[in-house]
PDB file of all heavy atoms in Angstrom:
ATOM      1  N   ASN A   1      54.341  34.721  96.038  1.00  0.00           N
ATOM      2  CA  ASN A   1      54.783  35.178  97.352  1.00  0.00           C
ATOM      3  C   ASN A   1      54.000  36.398  97.818  1.00  0.00           C
ATOM      4  O   ASN A   1      53.674  36.512  99.001  1.00  0.00           O
ATOM      5  CB  ASN A   1      56.280  35.489  97.326  1.00  0.00           C
ATOM      6  CG  ASN A   1      57.131  34.252  97.552  1.00  0.00           C
ATOM      7  OD1 ASN A   1      57.459  33.896  98.673  1.00  0.00           O
ATOM      8  ND2 ASN A   1      57.476  33.593  96.467  1.00  0.00           N
ATOM      9  N   ARG A   2      53.706  37.309  96.921  1.00  0.00           N
ATOM     10  CA  ARG A   2      52.932  38.489  97.298  1.00  0.00           C
ATOM     11  C   ARG A   2      51.527  38.109  97.745  1.00  0.00           C
ATOM     12  O   ARG A   2      50.960  38.747  98.641  1.00  0.00           O
ATOM     13  CB  ARG A   2      52.878  39.461  96.124  1.00  0.00           C
ATOM     14  CG  ARG A   2      54.175  40.240  95.917  1.00  0.00           C
ATOM     15  CD  ARG A   2      54.101  41.116  94.685  1.00  0.00           C
ATOM     16  NE  ARG A   2      55.289  41.962  94.560  1.00  0.00           N
ATOM     17  CZ  ARG A   2      55.549  42.722  93.499  1.00  0.00           C
ATOM     18  NH1 ARG A   2      54.690  42.741  92.472  1.00  0.00           N
ATOM     19  NH2 ARG A   2      56.636  43.460  93.459  1.00  0.00           N
ATOM     20  N   GLU A   3      50.950  37.070  97.145  1.00  0.00           N
ATOM     21  CA  GLU A   3      49.618  36.622  97.538  1.00  0.00           C
ATOM     22  C   GLU A   3      49.612  35.996  98.925  1.00  0.00           C
ATOM     23  O   GLU A   3      48.566  35.937  99.580  1.00  0.00           O
ATOM     24  CB  GLU A   3      49.088  35.612  96.514  1.00  0.00           C
ATOM     25  CG  GLU A   3      48.754  36.228  95.159  1.00  0.00           C
ATOM     26  CD  GLU A   3      48.319  35.195  94.144  1.00  0.00           C
ATOM     27  OE1 GLU A   3      48.518  33.983  94.419  1.00  0.00           O
ATOM     28  OE2 GLU A   3      47.799  35.580  93.085  1.00  0.00           O
ATOM     29  N   LEU A   4      50.762  35.525  99.385  1.00  0.00           N
ATOM     30  CA  LEU A   4      50.856  34.923 100.715  1.00  0.00           C
ATOM     31  C   LEU A   4      50.940  35.955 101.827  1.00  0.00           C
ATOM     32  O   LEU A   4      50.599  35.662 102.981  1.00  0.00           O
ATOM     33  CB  LEU A   4      52.085  33.999 100.792  1.00  0.00           C
ATOM     34  CG  LEU A   4      52.069  32.730  99.943  1.00  0.00           C
ATOM     35  CD1 LEU A   4      53.413  32.025 100.034  1.00  0.00           C
ATOM     36  CD2 LEU A   4      50.943  31.801 100.384  1.00  0.00           C
ATOM     37  N   ILE A   5      51.409  37.154 101.512  1.00  0.00           N
ATOM     38  CA  ILE A   5      51.688  38.146 102.556  1.00  0.00           C
ATOM     39  C   ILE A   5      50.420  38.601 103.261  1.00  0.00           C
ATOM     40  O   ILE A   5      50.370  38.682 104.494  1.00  0.00           O
ATOM     41  CB  ILE A   5      52.446  39.346 101.949  1.00  0.00           C
ATOM     42  CG1 ILE A   5      53.844  38.907 101.532  1.00  0.00           C
ATOM     43  CG2 ILE A   5      52.518  40.486 102.959  1.00  0.00           C
ATOM     44  CD1 ILE A   5      54.670  40.009 100.883  1.00  0.00           C
ATOM     45  N   SER A   6      49.360  38.900 102.508  1.00  0.00           N
ATOM     46  CA  SER A   6      48.133  39.429 103.116  1.00  0.00           C
ATOM     47  C   SER A   6      47.522  38.461 104.137  1.00  0.00           C
ATOM     48  O   SER A   6      47.191  38.873 105.260  1.00  0.00           O
ATOM     49  CB  SER A   6      47.124  39.777 102.025  1.00  0.00           C
ATOM     50  OG  SER A   6      45.940  40.299 102.585  1.00  0.00           O
ATOM     51  N   PRO A   7      47.353  37.160 103.815  1.00  0.00           N
ATOM     52  CA  PRO A   7      46.831  36.232 104.843  1.00  0.00           C
ATOM     53  C   PRO A   7      47.744  36.097 106.054  1.00  0.00           C
ATOM     54  O   PRO A   7      47.266  35.964 107.185  1.00  0.00           O
ATOM     55  CB  PRO A   7      46.722  34.894 104.091  1.00  0.00           C
ATOM     56  CG  PRO A   7      46.687  35.253 102.652  1.00  0.00           C
ATOM     57  CD  PRO A   7      47.496  36.494 102.506  1.00  0.00           C
ATOM     58  N   LEU A   8      49.058  36.145 105.822  1.00  0.00           N
ATOM     59  CA  LEU A   8      49.994  36.053 106.950  1.00  0.00           C
ATOM     60  C   LEU A   8      49.873  37.266 107.862  1.00  0.00           C
ATOM     61  O   LEU A   8      49.920  37.142 109.096  1.00  0.00           O
ATOM     62  CB  LEU A   8      51.427  35.925 106.426  1.00  0.00           C
ATOM     63  CG  LEU A   8      51.802  34.589 105.789  1.00  0.00           C
ATOM     64  CD1 LEU A   8      53.201  34.649 105.191  1.00  0.00           C
ATOM     65  CD2 LEU A   8      51.725  33.456 106.807  1.00  0.00           C
ATOM     66  N   VAL A   9      49.710  38.443 107.274  1.00  0.00           N
ATOM     67  CA  VAL A   9      49.541  39.670 108.068  1.00  0.00           C
ATOM     68  C   VAL A   9      48.248  39.598 108.871  1.00  0.00           C
ATOM     69  O   VAL A   9      48.214  39.947 110.059  1.00  0.00           O
ATOM     70  CB  VAL A   9      49.544  40.901 107.147  1.00  0.00           C
ATOM     71  CG1 VAL A   9      49.096  42.145 107.920  1.00  0.00           C
ATOM     72  CG2 VAL A   9      50.935  41.132 106.568  1.00  0.00           C
ATOM     73  N   ALA A  10      47.151  39.142 108.241  1.00  0.00           N
ATOM     74  CA  ALA A  10      45.861  39.041 108.936  1.00  0.00           C
ATOM     75  C   ALA A  10      45.940  38.048 110.089  1.00  0.00           C
ATOM     76  O   ALA A  10      45.414  38.304 111.182  1.00  0.00           O
ATOM     77  CB  ALA A  10      44.772  38.635 107.952  1.00  0.00           C
ATOM     78  N   ARG A  11      46.593  36.906 109.873  1.00  0.00           N
ATOM     79  CA  ARG A  11      46.725  35.905 110.939  1.00  0.00           C
ATOM     80  C   ARG A  11      47.551  36.448 112.093  1.00  0.00           C
ATOM     81  O   ARG A  11      47.206  36.255 113.269  1.00  0.00           O
ATOM     82  CB  ARG A  11      47.369  34.631 110.381  1.00  0.00           C
ATOM     83  CG  ARG A  11      47.445  33.489 111.381  1.00  0.00           C
ATOM     84  CD  ARG A  11      48.112  32.266 110.787  1.00  0.00           C
ATOM     85  NE  ARG A  11      49.533  32.484 110.578  1.00  0.00           N
ATOM     86  CZ  ARG A  11      50.369  31.544 110.133  1.00  0.00           C
ATOM     87  NH1 ARG A  11      49.899  30.347 109.819  1.00  0.00           N
ATOM     88  NH2 ARG A  11      51.657  31.800 109.973  1.00  0.00           N
ATOM     89  N   PHE A  12      48.632  37.142 111.780  1.00  0.00           N
ATOM     90  CA  PHE A  12      49.499  37.699 112.813  1.00  0.00           C
ATOM     91  C   PHE A  12      48.753  38.755 113.631  1.00  0.00           C
ATOM     92  O   PHE A  12      48.817  38.766 114.861  1.00  0.00           O
ATOM     93  CB  PHE A  12      50.745  38.301 112.166  1.00  0.00           C
ATOM     94  CG  PHE A  12      51.772  38.781 113.143  1.00  0.00           C
ATOM     95  CD1 PHE A  12      52.599  37.887 113.796  1.00  0.00           C
ATOM     96  CD2 PHE A  12      51.930  40.131 113.409  1.00  0.00           C
ATOM     97  CE1 PHE A  12      53.558  38.320 114.696  1.00  0.00           C
ATOM     98  CE2 PHE A  12      52.878  40.578 114.305  1.00  0.00           C
ATOM     99  CZ  PHE A  12      53.696  39.671 114.950  1.00  0.00           C
ATOM    100  N   ASN A  13      48.026  39.648 112.961  1.00  0.00           N
ATOM    101  CA  ASN A  13      47.299  40.708 113.658  1.00  0.00           C
ATOM    102  C   ASN A  13      46.173  40.158 114.522  1.00  0.00           C
ATOM    103  O   ASN A  13      45.846  40.735 115.569  1.00  0.00           O
ATOM    104  CB  ASN A  13      46.732  41.705 112.645  1.00  0.00           C
ATOM    105  CG  ASN A  13      47.797  42.638 112.089  1.00  0.00           C
ATOM    106  OD1 ASN A  13      48.782  42.928 112.757  1.00  0.00           O
ATOM    107  ND2 ASN A  13      47.603  43.084 110.867  1.00  0.00           N
ATOM    108  N   SER A  14      45.566  39.052 114.103  1.00  0.00           N
ATOM    109  CA  SER A  14      44.476  38.474 114.890  1.00  0.00           C
ATOM    110  C   SER A  14      44.968  38.020 116.253  1.00  0.00           C
ATOM    111  O   SER A  14      44.244  38.103 117.247  1.00  0.00           O
ATOM    112  CB  SER A  14      43.847  37.302 114.136  1.00  0.00           C
ATOM    113  OG  SER A  14      44.746  36.212 114.029  1.00  0.00           O
ATOM    114  N   MET A  15      46.200  37.538 116.328  1.00  0.00           N
ATOM    115  CA  MET A  15      46.756  37.092 117.603  1.00  0.00           C
ATOM    116  C   MET A  15      47.102  38.269 118.512  1.00  0.00           C
ATOM    117  O   MET A  15      47.158  38.122 119.729  1.00  0.00           O
ATOM    118  CB  MET A  15      47.989  36.218 117.357  1.00  0.00           C
ATOM    119  CG  MET A  15      47.659  34.857 116.763  1.00  0.00           C
ATOM    120  SD  MET A  15      49.095  33.826 116.474  1.00  0.00           S
ATOM    121  CE  MET A  15      49.722  34.529 114.963  1.00  0.00           C
ATOM    122  N   LEU A  16      47.320  39.441 117.918  1.00  0.00           N
ATOM    123  CA  LEU A  16      47.611  40.643 118.690  1.00  0.00           C
ATOM    124  C   LEU A  16      46.353  41.466 118.932  1.00  0.00           C
ATOM    125  O   LEU A  16      46.414  42.546 119.527  1.00  0.00           O
ATOM    126  CB  LEU A  16      48.651  41.508 117.986  1.00  0.00           C
ATOM    127  CG  LEU A  16      50.127  41.170 118.231  1.00  0.00           C
ATOM    128  CD1 LEU A  16      50.491  39.796 117.682  1.00  0.00           C
ATOM    129  CD2 LEU A  16      51.034  42.230 117.629  1.00  0.00           C
ATOM    130  N   ASN A  17      45.209  40.960 118.472  1.00  0.00           N
ATOM    131  CA  ASN A  17      43.930  41.649 118.610  1.00  0.00           C
ATOM    132  C   ASN A  17      43.967  43.008 117.912  1.00  0.00           C
ATOM    133  O   ASN A  17      43.495  44.019 118.441  1.00  0.00           O
ATOM    134  CB  ASN A  17      43.561  41.820 120.087  1.00  0.00           C
ATOM    135  CG  ASN A  17      42.091  42.150 120.290  1.00  0.00           C
ATOM    136  OD1 ASN A  17      41.245  41.798 119.471  1.00  0.00           O
ATOM    137  ND2 ASN A  17      41.777  42.846 121.372  1.00  0.00           N
ATOM    138  N   LEU A  18      44.516  43.028 116.700  1.00  0.00           N
ATOM    139  CA  LEU A  18      44.584  44.228 115.885  1.00  0.00           C
ATOM    140  C   LEU A  18      43.724  44.051 114.637  1.00  0.00           C
ATOM    141  O   LEU A  18      43.259  42.948 114.343  1.00  0.00           O
ATOM    142  CB  LEU A  18      46.035  44.516 115.474  1.00  0.00           C
ATOM    143  CG  LEU A  18      47.025  44.810 116.601  1.00  0.00           C
ATOM    144  CD1 LEU A  18      48.440  44.905 116.041  1.00  0.00           C
ATOM    145  CD2 LEU A  18      46.657  46.093 117.332  1.00  0.00           C
ATOM    146  N   GLU A  19      43.516  45.130 113.908  1.00  0.00           N
ATOM    147  CA  GLU A  19      42.782  45.056 112.656  1.00  0.00           C
ATOM    148  C   GLU A  19      43.529  44.153 111.673  1.00  0.00           C
ATOM    149  O   GLU A  19      44.765  44.181 111.610  1.00  0.00           O
ATOM    150  CB  GLU A  19      42.618  46.442 112.047  1.00  0.00           C
ATOM    151  CG  GLU A  19      41.699  47.365 112.844  1.00  0.00           C
ATOM    152  CD  GLU A  19      40.262  46.857 112.861  1.00  0.00           C
ATOM    153  OE1 GLU A  19      39.852  46.226 111.863  1.00  0.00           O
ATOM    154  OE2 GLU A  19      39.567  47.084 113.864  1.00  0.00           O
ATOM    155  N   PRO A  20      42.798  43.326 110.900  1.00  0.00           N
ATOM    156  CA  PRO A  20      43.465  42.377 109.988  1.00  0.00           C
ATOM    157  C   PRO A  20      44.443  43.031 109.024  1.00  0.00           C
ATOM    158  O   PRO A  20      45.490  42.460 108.713  1.00  0.00           O
ATOM    159  CB  PRO A  20      42.293  41.731 109.232  1.00  0.00           C
ATOM    160  CG  PRO A  20      41.118  41.896 110.138  1.00  0.00           C
ATOM    161  CD  PRO A  20      41.327  43.188 110.865  1.00  0.00           C
ATOM    162  N   GLY A  21      44.114  44.237 108.563  1.00  0.00           N
ATOM    163  CA  GLY A  21      44.972  44.885 107.585  1.00  0.00           C
ATOM    164  C   GLY A  21      46.009  45.810 108.172  1.00  0.00           C
ATOM    165  O   GLY A  21      46.688  46.525 107.411  1.00  0.00           O
ATOM    166  N   ALA A  22      46.160  45.842 109.498  1.00  0.00           N
ATOM    167  CA  ALA A  22      47.140  46.739 110.121  1.00  0.00           C
ATOM    168  C   ALA A  22      48.555  46.402 109.646  1.00  0.00           C
ATOM    169  O   ALA A  22      48.913  45.229 109.511  1.00  0.00           O
ATOM    170  CB  ALA A  22      47.052  46.648 111.643  1.00  0.00           C
ATOM    171  N   GLU A  23      49.339  47.428 109.419  1.00  0.00           N
ATOM    172  CA  GLU A  23      50.707  47.230 108.945  1.00  0.00           C
ATOM    173  C   GLU A  23      51.557  46.562 110.022  1.00  0.00           C
ATOM    174  O   GLU A  23      51.509  46.925 111.202  1.00  0.00           O
ATOM    175  CB  GLU A  23      51.333  48.578 108.565  1.00  0.00           C
ATOM    176  CG  GLU A  23      52.767  48.494 108.077  1.00  0.00           C
ATOM    177  CD  GLU A  23      52.918  47.711 106.777  1.00  0.00           C
ATOM    178  OE1 GLU A  23      51.923  47.639 106.012  1.00  0.00           O
ATOM    179  OE2 GLU A  23      54.016  47.188 106.543  1.00  0.00           O
ATOM    180  N   VAL A  24      52.333  45.565 109.617  1.00  0.00           N
ATOM    181  CA  VAL A  24      53.226  44.863 110.530  1.00  0.00           C
ATOM    182  C   VAL A  24      54.654  45.274 110.209  1.00  0.00           C
ATOM    183  O   VAL A  24      55.180  44.969 109.129  1.00  0.00           O
ATOM    184  CB  VAL A  24      53.078  43.331 110.403  1.00  0.00           C
ATOM    185  CG1 VAL A  24      54.062  42.630 111.337  1.00  0.00           C
ATOM    186  CG2 VAL A  24      51.649  42.907 110.711  1.00  0.00           C
ATOM    187  N   ALA A  25      55.262  45.996 111.136  1.00  0.00           N
ATOM    188  CA  ALA A  25      56.644  46.434 110.941  1.00  0.00           C
ATOM    189  C   ALA A  25      57.590  45.297 111.305  1.00  0.00           C
ATOM    190  O   ALA A  25      57.415  44.621 112.316  1.00  0.00           O
ATOM    191  CB  ALA A  25      56.938  47.663 111.810  1.00  0.00           C
ATOM    192  N   LEU A  26      58.579  45.076 110.459  1.00  0.00           N
ATOM    193  CA  LEU A  26      59.568  44.033 110.697  1.00  0.00           C
ATOM    194  C   LEU A  26      60.963  44.614 110.540  1.00  0.00           C
ATOM    195  O   LEU A  26      61.179  45.500 109.705  1.00  0.00           O
ATOM    196  CB  LEU A  26      59.389  42.875 109.709  1.00  0.00           C
ATOM    197  CG  LEU A  26      58.113  42.046 109.823  1.00  0.00           C
ATOM    198  CD1 LEU A  26      58.054  41.024 108.696  1.00  0.00           C
ATOM    199  CD2 LEU A  26      58.023  41.363 111.167  1.00  0.00           C
ATOM    200  N   PRO A  27      61.928  44.144 111.321  1.00  0.00           N
ATOM    201  CA  PRO A  27      63.300  44.637 111.174  1.00  0.00           C
ATOM    202  C   PRO A  27      63.933  44.118 109.886  1.00  0.00           C
ATOM    203  O   PRO A  27      63.441  43.174 109.274  1.00  0.00           O
ATOM    204  CB  PRO A  27      63.999  44.073 112.420  1.00  0.00           C
ATOM    205  CG  PRO A  27      63.224  42.837 112.746  1.00  0.00           C
ATOM    206  CD  PRO A  27      61.800  43.146 112.384  1.00  0.00           C
ATOM    207  N   GLU A  28      65.039  44.728 109.496  1.00  0.00           N
ATOM    208  CA  GLU A  28      65.739  44.281 108.302  1.00  0.00           C
ATOM    209  C   GLU A  28      66.308  42.887 108.492  1.00  0.00           C
ATOM    210  O   GLU A  28      66.217  42.033 107.617  1.00  0.00           O
ATOM    211  CB  GLU A  28      66.861  45.275 107.962  1.00  0.00           C
ATOM    212  CG  GLU A  28      66.361  46.623 107.455  1.00  0.00           C
ATOM    213  CD  GLU A  28      65.628  46.507 106.132  1.00  0.00           C
ATOM    214  OE1 GLU A  28      66.007  45.638 105.317  1.00  0.00           O
ATOM    215  OE2 GLU A  28      64.669  47.271 105.926  1.00  0.00           O
ATOM    216  N   LEU A  29      66.905  42.664 109.653  1.00  0.00           N
ATOM    217  CA  LEU A  29      67.484  41.361 109.970  1.00  0.00           C
ATOM    218  C   LEU A  29      67.029  40.961 111.364  1.00  0.00           C
ATOM    219  O   LEU A  29      66.831  41.810 112.234  1.00  0.00           O
ATOM    220  CB  LEU A  29      69.017  41.407 109.910  1.00  0.00           C
ATOM    221  CG  LEU A  29      69.645  41.659 108.534  1.00  0.00           C
ATOM    222  CD1 LEU A  29      71.149  41.815 108.664  1.00  0.00           C
ATOM    223  CD2 LEU A  29      69.312  40.535 107.560  1.00  0.00           C
ATOM    224  N   ILE A  30      66.847  39.674 111.594  1.00  0.00           N
ATOM    225  CA  ILE A  30      66.434  39.186 112.899  1.00  0.00           C
ATOM    226  C   ILE A  30      67.424  38.145 113.399  1.00  0.00           C
ATOM    227  O   ILE A  30      68.115  37.488 112.612  1.00  0.00           O
ATOM    228  CB  ILE A  30      65.020  38.568 112.846  1.00  0.00           C
ATOM    229  CG1 ILE A  30      64.955  37.413 111.852  1.00  0.00           C
ATOM    230  CG2 ILE A  30      63.990  39.608 112.497  1.00  0.00           C
ATOM    231  CD1 ILE A  30      63.626  36.708 111.826  1.00  0.00           C
ATOM    232  N   ASP A  31      67.475  38.026 114.720  1.00  0.00           N
ATOM    233  CA  ASP A  31      68.333  37.033 115.359  1.00  0.00           C
ATOM    234  C   ASP A  31      67.516  35.765 115.557  1.00  0.00           C
ATOM    235  O   ASP A  31      66.502  35.763 116.240  1.00  0.00           O
ATOM    236  CB  ASP A  31      68.836  37.563 116.712  1.00  0.00           C
ATOM    237  CG  ASP A  31      69.760  36.576 117.404  1.00  0.00           C
ATOM    238  OD1 ASP A  31      70.185  35.601 116.748  1.00  0.00           O
ATOM    239  OD2 ASP A  31      70.050  36.785 118.595  1.00  0.00           O
ATOM    240  N   TYR A  32      67.949  34.675 114.953  1.00  0.00           N
ATOM    241  CA  TYR A  32      67.187  33.436 115.019  1.00  0.00           C
ATOM    242  C   TYR A  32      67.356  32.706 116.345  1.00  0.00           C
ATOM    243  O   TYR A  32      66.573  31.821 116.669  1.00  0.00           O
ATOM    244  CB  TYR A  32      67.597  32.499 113.878  1.00  0.00           C
ATOM    245  CG  TYR A  32      67.501  33.133 112.523  1.00  0.00           C
ATOM    246  CD1 TYR A  32      68.645  33.381 111.764  1.00  0.00           C
ATOM    247  CD2 TYR A  32      66.278  33.524 112.003  1.00  0.00           C
ATOM    248  CE1 TYR A  32      68.562  33.990 110.522  1.00  0.00           C
ATOM    249  CE2 TYR A  32      66.184  34.129 110.757  1.00  0.00           C
ATOM    250  CZ  TYR A  32      67.324  34.354 110.019  1.00  0.00           C
ATOM    251  OH  TYR A  32      67.244  34.953 108.797  1.00  0.00           O
TER     252      TYR A  32
END
């Protein structure tokens, strides 16, 4: 699971036009 996080962060940041390694803040709980 830890190995999956880095590619997911890079993919997410690419859509926001941010640096691949930029930290992605997430809430504790989300409304689905």
Side-chain angles (χ1 to χ4, degrees):
N1 275 271
R2 284 176 174 173
E3 290 176 347
L4 293 174
I5 292 178
S6 181
L8 288 174
V9 169
R11 185 181 70 176
F12 186 77
N13 284 331
S14 67
M15 289 180 281
L16 275 65
N17 197 27
L18 297 173
E19 292 295 328
E23 179 64 25
V24 178
L26 293 175
E28 290 295 326
L29 294 174
I30 59 176
D31 181 12
Y32 306 113

